[in-house]
């Protein structure tokens, strides 16, 4: 389990939208830029790690009950993405690391792979 | 209860709005969250397929006490070989569709996995009709 506050801290990241509860715990991570793949995952309590910053990233998370999204490679969420995320109580986090670096740091602090 | 939503081909900024409405309705009806997820993932895959592969379509939703029946019909190129389209990895998606994060050829098999019943019929150069049924019990 990893707390949102630790994700933010270890990745030098920022929360740009979300409930503000930094003590929420996340168990699993899944990294992909392919929403087709994300839609096949049925794990609960998941952080989606992605470099895909369009509205479908948020839609996919809405349908898949994913409550946490981390954007890597300095990808910025648009205003529409933030609005849709807020509406669905999805926490958005941005960081400037590569996907690989972000994943290895998160794994080190206890975020688990889905498979 | 019956609902009908329009789906615009090619419009990725609107893709998912119909499925999102259905999710809100199912939540209000207190349907089991696991069944909601299975259902809306299926609907979303189908909705994105219309956006990605067809010209226009609609989603007809019929919610009963024990089940949800959804028909997604489109006007489009149709699917010449449905068995082939159902295989994981088969995709004719354009580079633009791939840029949006789709086109892995996972959608139809994922609908099959997430629905209790799935029927698909298609006519080349006319369109495609997909029926998805999920039971609440
Ligand atoms: N509504 C449709 N109209 C025309 N062709 C379709 C339609 N739905 C699916 N197809 C065809 O079937 C193929 C497989 O569909 P499927 O949803 O499995 O994969 P995809 O849409 O290509 O990629 P993904 O769903 O993984 O993003 C498509 O690439 C397309 O050729
Ligand atoms: Mg598809």
């Amino acid at each position: 389990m990893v707390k949102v506050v630790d994700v933010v801290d270890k990745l030098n990241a920022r929360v740009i939208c979300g409930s503000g509860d930094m003590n929420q715990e996340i168990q699993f991570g899944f990294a992909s830029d392919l929403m087709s793949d994300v839609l096949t995952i049925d794990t609960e309590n998941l952080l989606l790690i992605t470099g895909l910053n369009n509205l479908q990233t948020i839609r996919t998370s809405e349908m898949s009950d994913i409550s946490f999204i981390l954007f890597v490679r300095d990808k910025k969420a648009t205003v529409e993405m933030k609005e849709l995320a807020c509406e669905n109580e999805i926490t958005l986090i941005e960081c400037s690391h590569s996907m690989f670096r972000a994943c290895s740091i998160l794994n080190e602090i206890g975020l688990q792979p889905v498979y | 209860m019956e609902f009908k939503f329009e789906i615009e081909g090619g419009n990725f900024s609107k893709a998912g709005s119909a499925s999102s409405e259905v999710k809100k309705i199912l939540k209000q009806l207190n349907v089991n969250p696991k069944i909601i997820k299975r259902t809306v993932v299926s609907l979303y895959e189908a909705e994105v397929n219309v956006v990605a592969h067809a010209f226009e379509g609609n989603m007809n939703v019929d919610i009963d006490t024990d089940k949800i029946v959804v028909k997604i019909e489109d006007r489009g190129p149709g699917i010449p070989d449905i068995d082939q389209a159902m295989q994981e990895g088969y995709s004719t998606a354009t580079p633009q569709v791939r840029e949006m994060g789709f086109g892995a050829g996972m959608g139809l098999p994922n609908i099959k996995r997430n629905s209790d019943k799935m029927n698909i019929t298609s006519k080349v150069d006319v369109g495609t009709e997909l029926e998805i049924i999920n039971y609440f019990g």
Side-chain angles (χ1 to χ4, degrees), chain A residues 36, chain B residues 45-46 48-49 52-53 91 102-108 111:
Chain A
S36 313
Chain B
E45 293 275 20
V48 170
N49 275 355
H53 307 297
S91 177
F102 293 93
M106 302 294 282
L108 291 176
I111 295 173

Side-chain angles (χ1 to χ4, degrees), chain A residues 29-88:
Chain A
F30 186 77
S32 183
D33 286 352
L34 203 56
M35 295 305 111
S36 313
D37 270 349
V38 178
L39 286 162
T40 64
I41 303 295
D42 56 13
T43 309
E44 279 169 35
N45 198 3
L46 185 84
L47 171 70
L48 170 62
I49 303 148
T50 187
L52 186 83
N53 61 334
N54 66 40
L55 213 47
Q56 295 315 310
T57 310
I58 316 292
R59 283 287 183 212
T60 297
S61 303
E62 174 190 358
M63 302 309 157
S64 305
D65 292 331
I66 293 172
S67 306
F68 307 94
I69 305 174
L70 170 67
F71 293 102
V72 294
R73 303 197 294 268
D74 240 346
K75 299 290 175 197
K76 302 273 190 274
T78 62
V79 175
E80 291 81 34
M81 288 167 69
K82 280 188 214 171
E83 279 171 5
L84 192 60
C86 286
E87 212 178 282
N88 289 287

Side-chain angles (χ1 to χ4, degrees), chain B residues 72-134:
Chain B
I72 298 108
E73 313 164 312
D74 70 54
R75 207 169 56 74
I79 304 174
D81 184 342
I82 290 176
D83 288 339
Q84 184 184 40
M86 286 298 300
Q87 282 169 20
E88 276 191 16
Y90 177 80
S91 177
T92 60
T94 60
Q96 290 93 305
V97 169
R98 288 174 207 269
E99 241 166 61
M100 301 307 296
F102 293 93
M106 302 294 282
L108 291 176
N110 203 28
I111 295 173
K112 178 127 194 116
R113 205 165 26 242
N114 282 292
S115 58
D116 293 328
K117 279 188 193 149
M118 168 188 186
N119 295 307
I120 180 165
T121 55
S122 190
K123 259 205 198 111
V124 172
D125 290 336
V126 179
T128 301
E129 218 181 295
L130 173 65
E131 186 184 51
I132 294 168
I133 303 177
N134 272 356

Side-chain angles (χ1 to χ4, degrees), chain A residues 72-113:
Chain A
V72 294
R73 303 197 294 268
D74 240 346
K75 299 290 175 197
K76 302 273 190 274
T78 62
V79 175
E80 291 81 34
M81 288 167 69
K82 280 188 214 171
E83 279 171 5
L84 192 60
C86 286
E87 212 178 282
N88 289 287
E89 293 171 352
I90 296 170
T91 299
L92 298 184
I93 310 169
E94 291 175 350
C95 82
S96 47
H97 293 301
S98 67
M99 175 107 90
F100 184 73
R101 184 182 289 274
C103 290
S104 56
I105 293 172
L106 291 172
N107 190 226
E108 218 164 79
I109 63 171
L111 196 71
Q112 294 166 23

